[in-house]
Amino acid sequence: MILPSYLQGEWWTPTDDAGGVVVRDASTGEEITRVDSSGVDLAGAVDYARSVGQRSLGALTFHQRALLLKQFGTVLNDRKGELYALSARAGSTVRDAAIDVDGGIGVLFTYSSKGRRELPNAQIYLDGPAESLSKDGTFLGRHVYTRLPGTVVQINAFNFPMWGPLEKFAPAFLAGVPTIIKPATPTAYITEAWVRMLVESGVVPDGALQLVSGAVPGVFDLLRLGDVVAFTGSASTAASLRAQSPDGVRFMSETDSINASILGPDAQPGTPVFDAFVRQLMVELTAKSGQKCTAIRRAIVPSSSMDAVASALRQKLAEKVVVGDPRAEGVTMGPLVSLEQRGEVLRGVKTLVDAGGEVLVGSTQRPQVVRADGTSGAAEDGAFIDPILVGFGSDAPAAVHEVEAFGPVSALIGYDTVAQAVELANRGGGSLVTSVATDDPAVAAELMAGIGAYNGRVLFLDSVDARTSTGHGSPVPHLVHGGPGRAGGGEELGGIRAVLHFMQRTAVQGSPAMLTALTGVWHAGAGVSSDGLHPFRKSLAQLRIGDQLASASREVTLDDIETFARFTGDTFYAHMDEEAAAANPFFPGRVAHGYLLVSFAAGLFVDPAPGPVLANYGLENLRFVTPVSPGDSIHVALTAKQITPRETDDYGEVRWDAVIRNQNDDIVATYDVLTLVAKQ
């Protein structure tokens, strides 16, 4: 059957079901489905995203979108057993499927959590503080992010049919931009399955998610300013697509890279860090059968340790790795995704050998495998291949740093100095990740200084984190996944910074009142309201931005300062020694503790009776500006600055602007007070 697409709110297949690219089971060669998008209405899909999808997502705040991401994750988590079964047909073991399926679900949950914690319950994101552009504070500037008005067109690789699209979809959805997914043909049926699960759940906003199962010819002709292309695949394909991308269309790419793992000169055989390096190399060779853009392609080790590394890896593989059909018990490494991919990998190995490499571990012959029925024998069908390690000296040819055999293949390269290890790593031309195994901080520092600019991520393995590390090849949603140069130059994931990839940063200038109206955040100089009711007596339903309390004054006495010093133990000389304090260029003599002033300010603005204010949970941006001497007085202005209701709770967060002034109206301190306030 032809694999369906999901476009303009309904499932679609070509009217002629006789054609299509045949997709086969990676282990048995059995036909699974056919992929064909002949006659697809791409223009209609793009228009649907820009109109219906933009309207659906535009009606939601960051927090509302974040809660939907959590629902998506729950839907898929409840049905991940089905996705595991489909992944086995693509050659994935249970461990491999977990990387893809659980990894994708984890991205949804992570962005749901980060969206609610780090973004406002609004539709505009503020970047940095306001900048005063006039002496009297009547003209301000501020950077704001607003969502892009178009659609994201994803073009994905075959190796991660779930995690790959979801790592792009989650931040785009949180930003409020709809997505059209184009999966790679060999594993498109897995992408179609999880998209169908989400559609059937009924929780996806109209137009927010579409799927094209098959080719997307001419799609670049349909794109314009405000659209995004997010590509994962080979560097050569990325270059070709980037050239087709119209001006104004953002093109983000994450491409193949010749990632390295460096064994420090201190990590001698028998040390824990040496063992961790070999264990990691074994995992990266065999997880997803080496079909990971983050896999180790070059193991760079001291020349004196090359034989030891090869021997230890050979032993580890013999102990831990069983090649075969993922559905057979005991199999730890499945086949490549297709026979075509197996041919590509073997051609890559031949190129490395022809360049002077020696196969130290493994073989290019068909391996002995475990079949689905539990029997063993030579692999007659399926895209099976052994893990392969190809050895080179420190004079490794250019091919080692340029050819990626996208499978269970790594090159072993010797080095004699740390500087030489840096040079070898950087010859890859830019990588997604390089890992370093060392217990020597000086070696780590030298390597980081040399390789940092050539990598999107650098992982340091030592004896402390060897067991807790997420590993060389495992990107996490919290950190950037991408890399410079050959790796594509993109920065997928990376927490909230990934959300901002789908938004436009704009410098907004205007009066305090205008910026307050545009951003939903009060700016000093904008209007305030004092209606006689203490702001702490107001629920979120009553409180408004700009509601302000101007307190009475309180004198700060020498006895106050000494009492606070004795009570807290803070007897710093500026508070207790007149002569020493006067000698300090910042103080006129003995001065009050800054935290005493903040405490007194709280006493001036707090309404003590039970009410809508449930808790004070912190201060931010505290700055002490003018010292307060004994006999000075202070007063405080407290203004409702930002109101953030929580979608799932009966309370929300209120950020208050607090300014303490002295009797001369000089600013003593500024800070934000954070409180939790009941909605009703």
Side-chain angles (χ1 to χ4, degrees), residues 12 51 93 119 268 272:
W12 172 90
S51 56
T93 64
L119 295 175
Q268 294 298 307

Side-chain angles (χ1 to χ4, degrees), residues 310-519:
S311 177
L313 178 65
R314 191 179 299 111
Q315 180 179 347
K316 205 75 170 172
L317 290 170
E319 294 172 353
K320 300 290 186 180
V321 177
V322 177
V323 179
D325 190 313
R327 289 155 292 204
E329 185 176 353
V331 167
T332 60
M333 177 177 153
L336 300 178
V337 73
S338 66
L339 289 173
E340 291 77 12
Q341 184 61 25
R342 182 178 185 276
E344 286 289 328
V345 170
L346 291 177
R347 282 190 286 275
V349 173
K350 183 177 186 301
T351 300
L352 293 175
V353 171
D354 289 347
E358 177 187 0
V359 175
L360 303 177
V361 177
S363 167
T364 57
Q365 301 300 311
R366 280 195 168 272
Q368 296 289 307
V369 300
V370 178
R371 304 184 184 94
D373 61 6
T375 61
S376 300
E380 299 174 357
D381 299 308
F384 297 101
I385 188 172
D386 271 333
I388 294 174
L389 185 70
V390 184
F392 293 88
S394 58
D395 58 346
V400 179
H401 309 288
E402 297 172 357
V403 175
E404 181 181 35
F406 198 72
V409 180
S410 291
L412 183 65
I413 308 169
Y415 73 86
D416 298 316
T417 66
V418 174
Q420 189 178 44
V422 168
E423 191 272 335
L424 287 168
N426 293 345
R427 285 181 67 187
S431 298
L432 297 170
V433 55
T434 289
S435 59
V436 176
T438 182
D439 275 327
D440 188 333
V443 169
E446 183 177 353
L447 286 168
M448 184 62 200
I451 69 176
Y454 290 79
N455 285 273
R457 176 167 56 93
V458 180
L459 165 68
F460 287 93
L461 275 180
D462 61 18
S463 299
V464 175
D465 68 7
R467 291 291 182 182
T468 57
S469 162
T470 52
H472 170 102
S474 298
V476 292
H478 316 73
L479 301 178
V480 166
H481 173 53
R486 177 182 174 127
E491 290 188 352
E492 295 179 359
L493 299 182
I496 296 303
R497 66 185 296 137
V499 178
L500 304 182
H501 293 161
F502 304 98
M503 306 185 78
Q504 175 62 46
R505 183 173 59 184
T506 305
V508 179
Q509 297 171 285
S511 67
M514 186 60 73
L515 262 63
T516 296
L518 292 173
T519 63

